[in-house]
Amino acid sequence: MKKYQDLWDNILEELSKNYSEDIFNEIFGETKSVIKYTNGLVYVLVPSVYIQTKINYTYSQKIKNIVDSLIDEPIKFKFVTAEEAVTPQNKYVETKVTKKVYDSYLNENYNFESFVVGESNRFSIRSAMMVAEQPGQFANPLYIFGGVGLGKTHLMQAIGNYVIEKDINKKVLYIQAQNFIVDYSKATQSGNMESFEQKYNELDVLLVDDIQMLEIGKKSQQEFFKLFCDMHDSGKQIVITSDCPADQLKGIMDRLTSRFSWGMTVNISQPNLEHRVNILKRKLIESPDANKDIDDEIYEYIANQYINNIRELEGAFRRVLYYGVMLNQDITLPLVKEALEPLLKNRKKDGTEDKFENLKSIIASFYQISVEDLISKKRTNNLIVPRHICMYLLKKKYDLPYKKIGNLLGNRDHSTVMSGYKKIEQDLKTNKEIKLAIDTISKKIE
Ligand code: ADP
Ligand code: MG
């Protein structure tokens, strides 16, 4: 990604303002190339161990401050020597030091360690680990299917993260099927098929999430078919997730779906109570600020409210933990009930709330965000578009009054909802990605 080279260039510029020309040239004069990006780490090539040590001990805090002042992403820089870059057992960088930077689009928190095993996913995780251990050899493709919020994306990304962890030279790409369509149509429109093909042809592992979305792109299906066959023939690993078994996929060419069962198909089903409780216990470990003293009775109460969607279970639990921290109180049953009341109350009422719940979780899962964040007051960029889409669809599909939509979406003002609605209405005319998102989400609602 050129983005990271640009970022480093900007940092260098800032650094040059802070130090004398001599010092700057000595330390950073030959420290110019970003050679890789993965999982939040940007790798910069340094000319010697001496410079590497110097930067790590003397300049890293300064660099961190500059990074923080420039961007919001939690990015870290790692400085590697050419030796480290070419030593095969070293897990830092590619064998050949080129100026290429590589982004796998993986979330590093989605790994095997953080994936809690139970009856419903035991077989799937074992297969996934075998695939991660021997990409292209154990089962190709690995086809993972199951309901919304049950851990398909997590498991798929765990494979990718494992492969890279073991061998940084491996090229892994995670992509949602709908983004494959976007990628492909951008390439055809700009006449830049070559770089599209190159991007996919050089992969060792391709992770395609929510393959059912390919339904809406007929041409992309053909392109994907070609890619699939090429990768399969040359022993490159493909992992696919879907909301149903391959033979039940609708609107996807038979010759493609039939190939999906060439490798191995695994299913993730609903977790039982014990499993759900274990997941919550695990999530507690991952929440550094939370009060760690929680009774089993409380875990069970929460787990009993959320039976078929781990994303929602997790969201509810985070809300409870947040409540405890905010109020500085122990996590007792009354506190849990109070914290969850707005969520649970909404579920019980008339059809509107059901539809709303459904729409929220579809949008959240489409954009890989939590339902909590979707309706929260946070204003980060990745939340604003999904939120506007939510407003737009509630109006468009169910023709709810703006005021009601505002209430459903975390008590927002009707004028906010109205402008969100209008924004999407405008964007739909020009922005293909938004259109595709709306089409896909609409399909899922029906
Ligand atoms: P899906 O892709 O099936 O809709 P995700 O992989 O996005 O579901 O999972 C939803 C959320 O639930 C994620 O935050 C994920 O980390 C969590 N999750 C799902 N299954 C597990 C599990 N077995 N252990 C821990 N967390 C899980
Ligand atoms: Mg998913």
Side-chain angles (χ1 to χ4, degrees):
M1 302 255 98
K2 184 166 169 302
K3 174 176 155 191
Y4 299 108
Q5 180 67 57
D6 290 347
L7 176 64
W8 180 240
D9 290 343
N10 289 338
I11 294 169
L12 286 175
E13 203 180 310
E14 285 306 308
L15 286 167
S16 72
K17 292 179 198 154
N18 281 278
Y19 300 104
S20 74
E21 206 184 334
D22 281 351
I23 292 188
F24 177 82
N25 283 340
E26 186 205 354
I27 306 294
F28 297 105
E30 287 176 62
T31 308
K32 295 234 166 10
S33 312
V34 168
I35 50 176
K36 192 170 186 100
Y37 170 78
T38 183
N39 291 338
L41 274 183
V42 177
Y43 295 85
V44 177
L45 193 64
V46 289
S48 64
V49 177
Y50 165 68
I51 298 291
Q52 181 185 41
T53 318
K54 230 163 159 157
I55 294 179
N56 287 341
Y57 280 95
T58 318
Y59 300 92
S60 57
Q61 188 55 42
K62 183 84 202 159
I63 292 172
K64 186 173 176 308
N65 295 345
I66 298 176
V67 174
D68 289 346
S69 73
L70 291 174
I71 53 163
D72 279 329
E73 284 172 69
I75 282 182
K76 283 197 201 125
F77 281 82
K78 194 156 196 125
F79 299 91
V80 291
T81 61
E83 280 74 16
E84 286 173 323
V86 293
T87 313
Q89 65 269 30
N90 191 291
K91 60 179 203 165
Y92 289 146
V93 209
E94 301 170 43
T95 329
K96 252 200 264 144
V97 180
T98 59
K99 291 208 170 175
K100 202 179 295 158
V101 179
Y102 200 75
D103 188 349
S104 292
Y105 294 96
L106 291 168
N107 174 345
E108 60 189 349
N109 297 322
Y110 286 167
N111 50 47
F112 287 127
E113 291 80 55
S114 61
F115 194 76
V116 180
V117 185
E119 270 324 302
S120 60
N121 61 18
R122 192 180 311 274
F123 186 67
S124 300
I125 189 177
R126 271 195 206 149
S127 310
M129 285 173 131
M130 298 290 280
V131 165
E133 192 61 51
Q134 304 160 269
Q137 291 172 37
F138 175 71
N140 202 11
L142 177 68
Y143 185 96
I144 306 169
F145 76 92
V148 177
L150 294 182
K152 300 183 296 296
T153 300
H154 185 142
L155 191 57
M156 156 179 265
Q157 294 210 13
I159 297 176
N161 280 318
Y162 186 92
V163 169
I164 296 176
E165 178 74 19
K166 220 174 121 199
D167 180 356
I168 192 95
N169 297 313
K170 285 271 190 284
K171 290 212 160 51
V172 176
L173 180 72
Y174 165 83
I175 190 163
Q176 294 183 301
Q178 68 267 20
N179 286 336
F180 182 81
I181 301 180
V182 172
D183 230 18
Y184 176 68
S185 51
K186 274 189 187 154
T188 48
Q189 272 164 24
S190 63
N192 204 352
M193 278 309 286
E194 224 166 273
S195 68
F196 173 87
E197 278 166 7
Q198 196 199 340
K199 166 174 165 187
Y200 288 94
N201 286 338
E202 67 179 14
L203 294 177
D204 295 297
V205 178
L206 174 62
L207 312 168
V208 186
D209 206 359
D210 290 319
I211 196 80
Q212 71 277 2
M213 306 278 194
L214 267 195
E215 182 194 351
I216 51 179
K218 297 289 173 216
K219 291 227 181 77
S220 310
Q221 286 182 28
Q222 290 183 7
E223 192 60 30
F224 185 68
F225 179 75
K226 262 200 326 207
L227 174 65
F228 183 98
C229 294
D230 285 351
M231 287 190 74
H232 192 272
D233 289 349
S234 44
K236 307 292 183 59
Q237 181 70 45
I238 303 155
V239 182
I240 292 167
T241 70
S242 167
D243 62 357
C244 65
D247 58 3
Q248 288 172 26
L249 282 167
K250 297 205 179 64
I252 297 188
M253 339 189 285
D254 288 347
R255 56 184 174 146
L256 194 49
T257 56
S258 65
R259 274 165 176 77
F260 290 164
S261 35
W262 277 2
M264 178 184 262
T265 294
V266 294
N267 175 17
I268 302 186
S269 52
Q270 285 181 13
N272 59 24
L273 179 64
E274 185 195 353
H275 189 182
R276 297 198 300 281
V277 167
N278 286 339
I279 290 173
L280 292 183
K281 289 183 173 168
R282 171 74 213 202
K283 300 290 170 189
L284 184 71
I285 297 173
E286 290 163 12
S287 314
D289 301 329
N291 183 338
K292 302 283 165 180
D293 215 6
I294 299 183
D295 280 351
D296 277 356
E297 173 199 37
I298 291 188
Y299 286 117
E300 286 184 15
Y301 174 82
I302 302 171
N304 272 324
Q305 311 299 319
Y306 296 89
I307 294 170
N308 49 20
N309 186 327
I310 298 175
R311 188 196 312 281
E312 286 180 357
L313 174 70
E314 189 182 343
F317 187 55
R318 291 208 190 287
R319 189 180 164 92
V320 167
L321 295 181
Y322 181 70
Y323 239 72
V325 173
M326 284 299 290
L327 301 175
N328 196 16
Q329 280 181 17
D330 290 343
I331 312 271
T332 58
L333 208 47
L335 179 119
V336 172
K337 287 185 175 162
E338 190 187 327
L340 296 185
E341 197 214 43
L343 303 182
L344 297 174
K345 192 177 72 193
N346 268 348
R347 296 207 304 193
K348 292 195 186 97
K349 284 218 208 112
D350 62 39
T352 318
E353 271 78 10
D354 280 352
K355 283 177 196 154
F356 176 57
E357 286 299 311
N358 185 33
L359 182 63
K360 269 192 317 187
S361 56
I362 289 172
I363 293 180
S365 117
F366 184 89
Y367 283 103
Q368 301 281 309
I369 55 179
S370 70
V371 172
E372 280 264 272
D373 279 349
L374 178 67
I375 63 171
S376 71
K377 303 276 183 230
K378 290 186 208 159
R379 296 199 42 84
T380 46
N381 272 335
N382 65 325
L383 300 176
I384 290 174
V385 172
R387 201 175 287 146
H388 285 166
I389 289 186
C390 197
M391 294 169 182
Y392 175 85
L393 286 172
L394 281 170
K395 184 75 197 159
K396 200 84 187 164
K397 298 271 169 208
Y398 308 120
D399 198 25
L400 298 181
Y402 289 120
K403 188 162 182 293
K404 171 90 183 168
I405 298 176
N407 290 342
L408 288 171
L409 265 174
N411 284 330
R412 290 187 149 75
D413 194 70
H414 77 279
S415 60
T416 310
V417 178
M418 213 151 109
S419 67
Y421 175 86
K422 295 225 169 92
K423 175 89 179 58
I424 297 295
E425 202 176 35
Q426 274 304 318
D427 284 353
L428 269 174
K429 294 179 188 151
T430 51
N431 187 328
K432 286 221 157 85
E433 273 172 57
I434 297 267
K435 178 155 183 349
L436 188 68
I438 301 248
D439 287 349
T440 316
I441 292 164
S442 302
K443 275 227 162 67
K444 290 200 124 191
I445 305 172
E446 289 147 21

